[in-house]
PDB file of all heavy atoms in Angstrom:
ATOM      1  N   GLY D   1      -3.623  -7.275  -1.435  1.00 36.00           N
ATOM      2  CA  GLY D   1      -3.584  -5.944  -0.852  1.00 36.00           C
ATOM      3  C   GLY D   1      -4.938  -5.281  -0.731  1.00 36.00           C
ATOM      4  O   GLY D   1      -5.048  -4.196  -0.171  1.00 36.00           O
ATOM      5  N   ALA D   2      -5.995  -5.944  -1.211  1.00 34.00           N
ATOM      6  CA  ALA D   2      -7.308  -5.303  -1.197  1.00 34.00           C
ATOM      7  C   ALA D   2      -7.849  -5.145   0.208  1.00 34.00           C
ATOM      8  O   ALA D   2      -8.614  -4.221   0.495  1.00 34.00           O
ATOM      9  CB  ALA D   2      -8.291  -6.119  -2.038  1.00 34.00           C
ATOM     10  N   GLY D   3      -7.495  -6.047   1.127  1.00 33.00           N
ATOM     11  CA  GLY D   3      -7.887  -5.881   2.513  1.00 33.00           C
ATOM     12  C   GLY D   3      -9.323  -6.263   2.793  1.00 33.00           C
ATOM     13  O   GLY D   3      -9.618  -6.922   3.779  1.00 33.00           O
ATOM     14  N   ALA D   4     -10.231  -5.842   1.930  1.00 32.00           N
ATOM     15  CA  ALA D   4     -11.647  -6.091   2.168  1.00 32.00           C
ATOM     16  C   ALA D   4     -12.039  -7.532   1.889  1.00 32.00           C
ATOM     17  O   ALA D   4     -13.103  -7.974   2.302  1.00 32.00           O
ATOM     18  CB  ALA D   4     -12.491  -5.159   1.301  1.00 32.00           C
ATOM     19  N   LEU D   5     -11.212  -8.247   1.169  1.00 30.00           N
ATOM     20  CA  LEU D   5     -11.543  -9.623   0.816  1.00 30.00           C
ATOM     21  C   LEU D   5     -11.371 -10.522   2.028  1.00 30.00           C
ATOM     22  O   LEU D   5     -10.402 -10.407   2.778  1.00 30.00           O
ATOM     23  CB  LEU D   5     -10.645 -10.126  -0.319  1.00 30.00           C
ATOM     24  CG  LEU D   5     -10.855  -9.489  -1.688  1.00 30.00           C
ATOM     25  CD1 LEU D   5      -9.804 -10.037  -2.650  1.00 30.00           C
ATOM     26  CD2 LEU D   5     -12.245  -9.741  -2.228  1.00 30.00           C
ATOM     27  N   THR D   6     -12.320 -11.439   2.206  1.00 28.00           N
ATOM     28  CA  THR D   6     -12.189 -12.427   3.259  1.00 28.00           C
ATOM     29  C   THR D   6     -11.169 -13.469   2.860  1.00 28.00           C
ATOM     30  O   THR D   6     -10.779 -13.581   1.697  1.00 28.00           O
ATOM     31  CB  THR D   6     -13.538 -13.129   3.512  1.00 28.00           C
ATOM     32  OG1 THR D   6     -13.866 -13.909   2.367  1.00 28.00           O
ATOM     33  CG2 THR D   6     -14.632 -12.128   3.804  1.00 28.00           C
ATOM     34  N   GLY D   7     -10.730 -14.273   3.864  1.00 28.00           N
ATOM     35  CA  GLY D   7      -9.790 -15.339   3.558  1.00 28.00           C
ATOM     36  C   GLY D   7     -10.337 -16.305   2.542  1.00 28.00           C
ATOM     37  O   GLY D   7      -9.631 -16.757   1.655  1.00 28.00           O
ATOM     38  N   LEU D   8     -11.669 -16.634   2.650  1.00 29.00           N
ATOM     39  CA  LEU D   8     -12.269 -17.559   1.692  1.00 29.00           C
ATOM     40  C   LEU D   8     -12.282 -16.960   0.303  1.00 29.00           C
ATOM     41  O   LEU D   8     -11.975 -17.613  -0.685  1.00 29.00           O
ATOM     42  CB  LEU D   8     -13.697 -17.903   2.138  1.00 29.00           C
ATOM     43  CG  LEU D   8     -14.482 -18.831   1.185  1.00 29.00           C
ATOM     44  CD1 LEU D   8     -13.753 -20.170   1.051  1.00 29.00           C
ATOM     45  CD2 LEU D   8     -15.898 -19.042   1.697  1.00 29.00           C
ATOM     46  N   ALA D   9     -12.605 -15.659   0.209  1.00 29.00           N
ATOM     47  CA  ALA D   9     -12.644 -15.015  -1.109  1.00 29.00           C
ATOM     48  C   ALA D   9     -11.268 -15.008  -1.741  1.00 29.00           C
ATOM     49  O   ALA D   9     -11.119 -15.250  -2.938  1.00 29.00           O
ATOM     50  CB  ALA D   9     -13.183 -13.586  -0.985  1.00 29.00           C
ATOM     51  N   ILE D  10     -10.235 -14.726  -0.920  1.00 26.00           N
ATOM     52  CA  ILE D  10      -8.881 -14.746  -1.460  1.00 26.00           C
ATOM     53  C   ILE D  10      -8.519 -16.139  -1.936  1.00 26.00           C
ATOM     54  O   ILE D  10      -7.957 -16.332  -3.017  1.00 26.00           O
ATOM     55  CB  ILE D  10      -7.879 -14.256  -0.403  1.00 26.00           C
ATOM     56  CG1 ILE D  10      -8.111 -12.762  -0.110  1.00 26.00           C
ATOM     57  CG2 ILE D  10      -6.457 -14.490  -0.858  1.00 26.00           C
ATOM     58  CD1 ILE D  10      -7.264 -12.227   1.017  1.00 26.00           C
ATOM     59  N   ALA D  11      -8.885 -17.146  -1.164  1.00 30.00           N
ATOM     60  CA  ALA D  11      -8.547 -18.525  -1.529  1.00 30.00           C
ATOM     61  C   ALA D  11      -9.207 -18.931  -2.824  1.00 30.00           C
ATOM     62  O   ALA D  11      -8.626 -19.670  -3.623  1.00 30.00           O
ATOM     63  CB  ALA D  11      -8.968 -19.475  -0.402  1.00 30.00           C
ATOM     64  N   THR D  12     -10.437 -18.462  -3.053  1.00 34.00           N
ATOM     65  CA  THR D  12     -11.134 -18.874  -4.271  1.00 34.00           C
ATOM     66  C   THR D  12     -10.716 -18.044  -5.478  1.00 34.00           C
ATOM     67  O   THR D  12     -10.857 -18.490  -6.609  1.00 34.00           O
ATOM     68  CB  THR D  12     -12.651 -18.742  -4.076  1.00 34.00           C
ATOM     69  OG1 THR D  12     -12.961 -17.402  -3.694  1.00 34.00           O
ATOM     70  CG2 THR D  12     -13.149 -19.707  -3.006  1.00 34.00           C
ATOM     71  N   GLN D  13     -10.190 -16.835  -5.268  1.00 40.00           N
ATOM     72  CA  GLN D  13      -9.842 -15.995  -6.391  1.00 40.00           C
ATOM     73  C   GLN D  13      -8.371 -16.080  -6.778  1.00 40.00           C
ATOM     74  O   GLN D  13      -8.008 -15.816  -7.912  1.00 40.00           O
ATOM     75  CB  GLN D  13     -10.209 -14.542  -6.097  1.00 40.00           C
ATOM     76  CG  GLN D  13     -11.722 -14.323  -5.982  1.00 40.00           C
ATOM     77  CD  GLN D  13     -12.065 -12.870  -5.869  1.00 40.00           C
ATOM     78  OE1 GLN D  13     -11.656 -12.057  -6.703  1.00 40.00           O
ATOM     79  NE2 GLN D  13     -12.815 -12.511  -4.824  1.00 40.00           N
ATOM     80  N   LEU D  14      -7.522 -16.450  -5.810  1.00 40.00           N
ATOM     81  CA  LEU D  14      -6.116 -16.580  -6.142  1.00 40.00           C
ATOM     82  C   LEU D  14      -5.892 -17.831  -6.975  1.00 40.00           C
ATOM     83  O   LEU D  14      -6.586 -18.832  -6.815  1.00 40.00           O
ATOM     84  CB  LEU D  14      -5.280 -16.666  -4.865  1.00 40.00           C
ATOM     85  CG  LEU D  14      -5.126 -15.368  -4.073  1.00 40.00           C
ATOM     86  CD1 LEU D  14      -4.309 -15.645  -2.824  1.00 40.00           C
ATOM     87  CD2 LEU D  14      -4.479 -14.290  -4.911  1.00 40.00           C
ATOM     88  N   PRO D  15      -4.922 -17.804  -7.878  1.00 50.00           N
ATOM     89  CA  PRO D  15      -4.647 -18.998  -8.662  1.00 50.00           C
ATOM     90  C   PRO D  15      -4.124 -20.127  -7.796  1.00 50.00           C
ATOM     91  O   PRO D  15      -3.494 -19.896  -6.762  1.00 50.00           O
ATOM     92  CB  PRO D  15      -3.575 -18.526  -9.657  1.00 50.00           C
ATOM     93  CG  PRO D  15      -2.931 -17.351  -8.997  1.00 50.00           C
ATOM     94  CD  PRO D  15      -4.011 -16.690  -8.203  1.00 50.00           C
ATOM     95  N   LYS D  16      -4.415 -21.356  -8.209  1.00 67.00           N
ATOM     96  CA  LYS D  16      -3.803 -22.498  -7.550  1.00 67.00           C
ATOM     97  C   LYS D  16      -2.318 -22.515  -7.888  1.00 67.00           C
ATOM     98  O   LYS D  16      -1.832 -21.735  -8.684  1.00 67.00           O
ATOM     99  CB  LYS D  16      -4.477 -23.781  -8.026  1.00 67.00           C
ATOM    100  CG  LYS D  16      -5.938 -23.888  -7.611  1.00 67.00           C
ATOM    101  CD  LYS D  16      -6.520 -25.209  -8.054  1.00 67.00           C
ATOM    102  CE  LYS D  16      -7.974 -25.313  -7.607  1.00 67.00           C
ATOM    103  NZ  LYS D  16      -8.590 -26.588  -8.010  1.00 67.00           N
ATOM    104  N   ARG D  17      -1.615 -23.440  -7.284  1.00 83.00           N
ATOM    105  CA  ARG D  17      -0.180 -23.536  -7.533  1.00 83.00           C
ATOM    106  C   ARG D  17       0.067 -23.679  -9.029  1.00 83.00           C
ATOM    107  O   ARG D  17      -0.535 -24.512  -9.701  1.00 83.00           O
ATOM    108  CB  ARG D  17       0.389 -24.744  -6.789  1.00 83.00           C
ATOM    109  CG  ARG D  17       1.894 -24.884  -6.969  1.00 83.00           C
ATOM    110  CD  ARG D  17       2.419 -26.126  -6.281  1.00 83.00           C
ATOM    111  NE  ARG D  17       3.790 -26.363  -6.699  1.00 83.00           N
ATOM    112  CZ  ARG D  17       4.304 -27.559  -6.866  1.00 83.00           C
ATOM    113  NH1 ARG D  17       3.568 -28.630  -6.672  1.00 83.00           N
ATOM    114  NH2 ARG D  17       5.565 -27.691  -7.230  1.00 83.00           N
ATOM    115  N   VAL D  18       0.947 -22.846  -9.550  1.00 87.00           N
ATOM    116  CA  VAL D  18       1.266 -22.822 -10.972  1.00 87.00           C
ATOM    117  C   VAL D  18       2.714 -23.243 -11.157  1.00 87.00           C
ATOM    118  O   VAL D  18       3.607 -22.736 -10.476  1.00 87.00           O
ATOM    119  CB  VAL D  18       1.052 -21.413 -11.571  1.00 87.00           C
ATOM    120  CG1 VAL D  18       1.475 -21.393 -13.033  1.00 87.00           C
ATOM    121  CG2 VAL D  18      -0.397 -20.985 -11.417  1.00 87.00           C
ATOM    122  N   VAL D  19       2.925 -24.156 -12.077  1.00 83.00           N
ATOM    123  CA  VAL D  19       4.285 -24.573 -12.428  1.00 83.00           C
ATOM    124  C   VAL D  19       4.565 -24.038 -13.821  1.00 83.00           C
ATOM    125  O   VAL D  19       4.051 -24.550 -14.818  1.00 83.00           O
ATOM    126  CB  VAL D  19       4.439 -26.103 -12.384  1.00 83.00           C
ATOM    127  CG1 VAL D  19       5.840 -26.500 -12.816  1.00 83.00           C
ATOM    128  CG2 VAL D  19       4.139 -26.626 -10.989  1.00 83.00           C
ATOM    129  N   ALA D  20       5.332 -22.949 -13.876  1.00 76.00           N
ATOM    130  CA  ALA D  20       5.542 -22.252 -15.151  1.00 76.00           C
ATOM    131  C   ALA D  20       6.525 -22.980 -16.053  1.00 76.00           C
ATOM    132  O   ALA D  20       6.438 -22.886 -17.278  1.00 76.00           O
ATOM    133  CB  ALA D  20       6.020 -20.829 -14.900  1.00 76.00           C
ATOM    134  N   GLN D  21       7.494 -23.669 -15.482  1.00 84.00           N
ATOM    135  CA  GLN D  21       8.494 -24.373 -16.280  1.00 84.00           C
ATOM    136  C   GLN D  21       8.509 -25.854 -15.875  1.00 84.00           C
ATOM    137  O   GLN D  21       9.437 -26.336 -15.240  1.00 84.00           O
ATOM    138  CB  GLN D  21       9.872 -23.737 -16.067  1.00 84.00           C
ATOM    139  CG  GLN D  21      10.011 -22.347 -16.642  1.00 84.00           C
ATOM    140  CD  GLN D  21       9.920 -22.344 -18.163  1.00 84.00           C
ATOM    141  OE1 GLN D  21      10.359 -23.276 -18.821  1.00 84.00           O
ATOM    142  NE2 GLN D  21       9.352 -21.293 -18.722  1.00 84.00           N
ATOM    143  N   PRO D  22       7.457 -26.566 -16.228  1.00 88.00           N
ATOM    144  CA  PRO D  22       7.376 -27.969 -15.803  1.00 88.00           C
ATOM    145  C   PRO D  22       8.376 -28.844 -16.549  1.00 88.00           C
ATOM    146  O   PRO D  22       8.814 -28.526 -17.654  1.00 88.00           O
ATOM    147  CB  PRO D  22       5.944 -28.348 -16.173  1.00 88.00           C
ATOM    148  CG  PRO D  22       5.625 -27.452 -17.335  1.00 88.00           C
ATOM    149  CD  PRO D  22       6.318 -26.158 -17.051  1.00 88.00           C
ATOM    150  N   LYS D  23       8.738 -29.937 -15.901  1.00 90.00           N
ATOM    151  CA  LYS D  23       9.556 -30.955 -16.535  1.00 90.00           C
ATOM    152  C   LYS D  23       8.712 -32.209 -16.704  1.00 90.00           C
ATOM    153  O   LYS D  23       7.937 -32.569 -15.813  1.00 90.00           O
ATOM    154  CB  LYS D  23      10.799 -31.247 -15.701  1.00 90.00           C
ATOM    155  CG  LYS D  23      11.745 -30.060 -15.597  1.00 90.00           C
ATOM    156  CD  LYS D  23      12.987 -30.395 -14.778  1.00 90.00           C
ATOM    157  CE  LYS D  23      13.918 -29.189 -14.701  1.00 90.00           C
ATOM    158  NZ  LYS D  23      15.136 -29.478 -13.880  1.00 90.00           N
ATOM    159  N   PHE D  24       8.853 -32.871 -17.829  1.00 95.00           N
ATOM    160  CA  PHE D  24       7.981 -33.986 -18.171  1.00 95.00           C
ATOM    161  C   PHE D  24       8.778 -35.273 -18.297  1.00 95.00           C
ATOM    162  O   PHE D  24       9.933 -35.263 -18.735  1.00 95.00           O
ATOM    163  CB  PHE D  24       7.252 -33.706 -19.490  1.00 95.00           C
ATOM    164  CG  PHE D  24       6.426 -32.452 -19.463  1.00 95.00           C
ATOM    165  CD1 PHE D  24       6.891 -31.279 -20.039  1.00 95.00           C
ATOM    166  CD2 PHE D  24       5.186 -32.450 -18.854  1.00 95.00           C
ATOM    167  CE1 PHE D  24       6.133 -30.123 -20.019  1.00 95.00           C
ATOM    168  CE2 PHE D  24       4.416 -31.293 -18.826  1.00 95.00           C
ATOM    169  CZ  PHE D  24       4.892 -30.131 -19.404  1.00 95.00           C
ATOM    170  N   SER D  25       8.115 -36.359 -17.945  1.00 94.00           N
ATOM    171  CA  SER D  25       8.743 -37.672 -18.079  1.00 94.00           C
ATOM    172  C   SER D  25       8.825 -38.118 -19.522  1.00 94.00           C
ATOM    173  O   SER D  25       9.625 -38.988 -19.870  1.00 94.00           O
ATOM    174  CB  SER D  25       7.953 -38.707 -17.264  1.00 94.00           C
ATOM    175  OG  SER D  25       6.606 -38.781 -17.727  1.00 94.00           O
ATOM    176  N   ALA D  26       7.974 -37.529 -20.383  1.00 97.00           N
ATOM    177  CA  ALA D  26       7.946 -37.854 -21.810  1.00 97.00           C
ATOM    178  C   ALA D  26       7.287 -36.681 -22.532  1.00 97.00           C
ATOM    179  O   ALA D  26       6.849 -35.709 -21.899  1.00 97.00           O
ATOM    180  CB  ALA D  26       7.198 -39.164 -22.065  1.00 97.00           C
ATOM    181  N   PHE D  27       7.183 -36.781 -23.838  1.00 98.00           N
ATOM    182  CA  PHE D  27       6.626 -35.699 -24.644  1.00 98.00           C
ATOM    183  C   PHE D  27       5.195 -35.402 -24.196  1.00 98.00           C
ATOM    184  O   PHE D  27       4.337 -36.294 -24.221  1.00 98.00           O
ATOM    185  CB  PHE D  27       6.658 -36.102 -26.112  1.00 98.00           C
ATOM    186  CG  PHE D  27       6.244 -35.019 -27.071  1.00 98.00           C
ATOM    187  CD1 PHE D  27       6.861 -33.783 -27.059  1.00 98.00           C
ATOM    188  CD2 PHE D  27       5.242 -35.257 -28.012  1.00 98.00           C
ATOM    189  CE1 PHE D  27       6.493 -32.793 -27.950  1.00 98.00           C
ATOM    190  CE2 PHE D  27       4.867 -34.277 -28.919  1.00 98.00           C
ATOM    191  CZ  PHE D  27       5.501 -33.042 -28.884  1.00 98.00           C
ATOM    192  N   PRO D  28       4.891 -34.171 -23.779  1.00 98.00           N
ATOM    193  CA  PRO D  28       3.561 -33.893 -23.222  1.00 98.00           C
ATOM    194  C   PRO D  28       2.450 -33.794 -24.259  1.00 98.00           C
ATOM    195  O   PRO D  28       1.271 -33.913 -23.910  1.00 98.00           O
ATOM    196  CB  PRO D  28       3.760 -32.557 -22.508  1.00 98.00           C
ATOM    197  CG  PRO D  28       4.870 -31.896 -23.256  1.00 98.00           C
ATOM    198  CD  PRO D  28       5.785 -33.010 -23.678  1.00 98.00           C
ATOM    199  N   PHE D  29       2.811 -33.584 -25.538  1.00 98.00           N
ATOM    200  CA  PHE D  29       1.792 -33.443 -26.581  1.00 98.00           C
ATOM    201  C   PHE D  29       1.566 -34.780 -27.299  1.00 98.00           C
ATOM    202  O   PHE D  29       1.407 -34.831 -28.520  1.00 98.00           O
ATOM    203  CB  PHE D  29       2.199 -32.356 -27.577  1.00 98.00           C
ATOM    204  CG  PHE D  29       2.333 -30.996 -26.953  1.00 98.00           C
ATOM    205  CD1 PHE D  29       3.583 -30.433 -26.734  1.00 98.00           C
ATOM    206  CD2 PHE D  29       1.207 -30.277 -26.572  1.00 98.00           C
ATOM    207  CE1 PHE D  29       3.712 -29.177 -26.167  1.00 98.00           C
ATOM    208  CE2 PHE D  29       1.323 -29.024 -25.997  1.00 98.00           C
ATOM    209  CZ  PHE D  29       2.583 -28.466 -25.792  1.00 98.00           C
ATOM    210  N   SER D  30       1.528 -35.855 -26.524  1.00 98.00           N
ATOM    211  CA  SER D  30       1.413 -37.199 -27.103  1.00 98.00           C
ATOM    212  C   SER D  30       0.087 -37.431 -27.813  1.00 98.00           C
ATOM    213  O   SER D  30      -0.022 -38.345 -28.639  1.00 98.00           O
ATOM    214  CB  SER D  30       1.573 -38.245 -25.999  1.00 98.00           C
ATOM    215  OG  SER D  30       0.544 -38.093 -25.016  1.00 98.00           O
ATOM    216  N   LEU D  31      -0.922 -36.616 -27.521  1.00 98.00           N
ATOM    217  CA  LEU D  31      -2.241 -36.802 -28.125  1.00 98.00           C
ATOM    218  C   LEU D  31      -2.476 -35.865 -29.301  1.00 98.00           C
ATOM    219  O   LEU D  31      -3.590 -35.821 -29.847  1.00 98.00           O
ATOM    220  CB  LEU D  31      -3.327 -36.603 -27.058  1.00 98.00           C
ATOM    221  CG  LEU D  31      -3.176 -37.475 -25.806  1.00 98.00           C
ATOM    222  CD1 LEU D  31      -4.334 -37.254 -24.848  1.00 98.00           C
ATOM    223  CD2 LEU D  31      -3.053 -38.940 -26.171  1.00 98.00           C
ATOM    224  N   GLY D  32      -1.451 -35.125 -29.693  1.00 98.00           N
ATOM    225  CA  GLY D  32      -1.562 -34.281 -30.876  1.00 98.00           C
ATOM    226  C   GLY D  32      -2.261 -32.966 -30.601  1.00 98.00           C
ATOM    227  O   GLY D  32      -2.402 -32.518 -29.456  1.00 98.00           O
ATOM    228  N   VAL D  33      -2.700 -32.331 -31.673  1.00 99.00           N
ATOM    229  CA  VAL D  33      -3.407 -31.058 -31.616  1.00 99.00           C
ATOM    230  C   VAL D  33      -4.650 -31.166 -32.484  1.00 99.00           C
ATOM    231  O   VAL D  33      -4.759 -32.046 -33.339  1.00 99.00           O
ATOM    232  CB  VAL D  33      -2.515 -29.884 -32.093  1.00 99.00           C
ATOM    233  CG1 VAL D  33      -1.284 -29.758 -31.203  1.00 99.00           C
ATOM    234  CG2 VAL D  33      -2.111 -30.066 -33.562  1.00 99.00           C
ATOM    235  N   ALA D  34      -5.576 -30.259 -32.267  1.00 99.00           N
ATOM    236  CA  ALA D  34      -6.810 -30.269 -33.051  1.00 99.00           C
ATOM    237  C   ALA D  34      -7.413 -28.881 -33.038  1.00 99.00           C
ATOM    238  O   ALA D  34      -7.094 -28.040 -32.188  1.00 99.00           O
ATOM    239  CB  ALA D  34      -7.802 -31.287 -32.491  1.00 99.00           C
ATOM    240  N   SER D  35      -8.328 -28.650 -33.971  1.00 99.00           N
ATOM    241  CA  SER D  35      -9.091 -27.404 -33.993  1.00 99.00           C
ATOM    242  C   SER D  35     -10.523 -27.732 -34.392  1.00 99.00           C
ATOM    243  O   SER D  35     -10.806 -28.813 -34.916  1.00 99.00           O
ATOM    244  CB  SER D  35      -8.485 -26.388 -34.971  1.00 99.00           C
ATOM    245  OG  SER D  35      -8.672 -26.818 -36.310  1.00 99.00           O
ATOM    246  N   GLY D  36     -11.424 -26.784 -34.126  1.00 98.00           N
ATOM    247  CA  GLY D  36     -12.813 -27.046 -34.465  1.00 98.00           C
ATOM    248  C   GLY D  36     -13.704 -25.849 -34.261  1.00 98.00           C
ATOM    249  O   GLY D  36     -13.261 -24.759 -33.912  1.00 98.00           O
ATOM    250  N   GLU D  37     -14.991 -26.070 -34.489  1.00 98.00           N
ATOM    251  CA  GLU D  37     -16.034 -25.062 -34.295  1.00 98.00           C
ATOM    252  C   GLU D  37     -15.717 -23.764 -35.033  1.00 98.00           C
ATOM    253  O   GLU D  37     -15.746 -22.681 -34.437  1.00 98.00           O
ATOM    254  CB  GLU D  37     -16.220 -24.785 -32.803  1.00 98.00           C
ATOM    255  CG  GLU D  37     -16.554 -26.024 -31.981  1.00 98.00           C
ATOM    256  CD  GLU D  37     -17.876 -26.655 -32.386  1.00 98.00           C
ATOM    257  OE1 GLU D  37     -18.908 -25.979 -32.330  1.00 98.00           O
ATOM    258  OE2 GLU D  37     -17.852 -27.839 -32.778  1.00 98.00           O
ATOM    259  N   PRO D  38     -15.447 -23.810 -36.340  1.00 98.00           N
ATOM    260  CA  PRO D  38     -15.043 -22.592 -37.039  1.00 98.00           C
ATOM    261  C   PRO D  38     -16.178 -21.585 -37.178  1.00 98.00           C
ATOM    262  O   PRO D  38     -17.285 -21.914 -37.601  1.00 98.00           O
ATOM    263  CB  PRO D  38     -14.596 -23.120 -38.414  1.00 98.00           C
ATOM    264  CG  PRO D  38     -15.347 -24.401 -38.590  1.00 98.00           C
ATOM    265  CD  PRO D  38     -15.466 -24.996 -37.227  1.00 98.00           C
ATOM    266  N   LEU D  39     -15.878 -20.355 -36.810  1.00 98.00           N
ATOM    267  CA  LEU D  39     -16.722 -19.199 -37.051  1.00 98.00           C
ATOM    268  C   LEU D  39     -15.962 -18.258 -37.986  1.00 98.00           C
ATOM    269  O   LEU D  39     -14.772 -18.448 -38.238  1.00 98.00           O
ATOM    270  CB  LEU D  39     -17.051 -18.499 -35.735  1.00 98.00           C
ATOM    271  CG  LEU D  39     -17.814 -19.326 -34.692  1.00 98.00           C
ATOM    272  CD1 LEU D  39     -18.005 -18.509 -33.414  1.00 98.00           C
ATOM    273  CD2 LEU D  39     -19.147 -19.795 -35.231  1.00 98.00           C
TER     274      LEU D  39
END
């Protein structure tokens, strides 16, 4: 709705296609979890 944005600017600023409720062929967290760089 901003109007002033060019088509290219809108294309680069809008999110790409998002799949909010994806379905998976297998467990997606197959590589586990990790943490690091503690401050």
Side-chain angles (χ1 to χ4, degrees):
L5 291 176
T6 67
L8 178 61
I10 293 174
T12 56
Q13 294 187 54
L14 287 178
K16 294 183 179 180
R17 182 183 169 215
V18 176
V19 177
Q21 291 294 326
K23 295 181 180 179
F24 302 101
S25 60
F27 186 55
F29 298 106
S30 61
L31 306 183
V33 299
S35 70
E37 303 297 302
L39 299 177

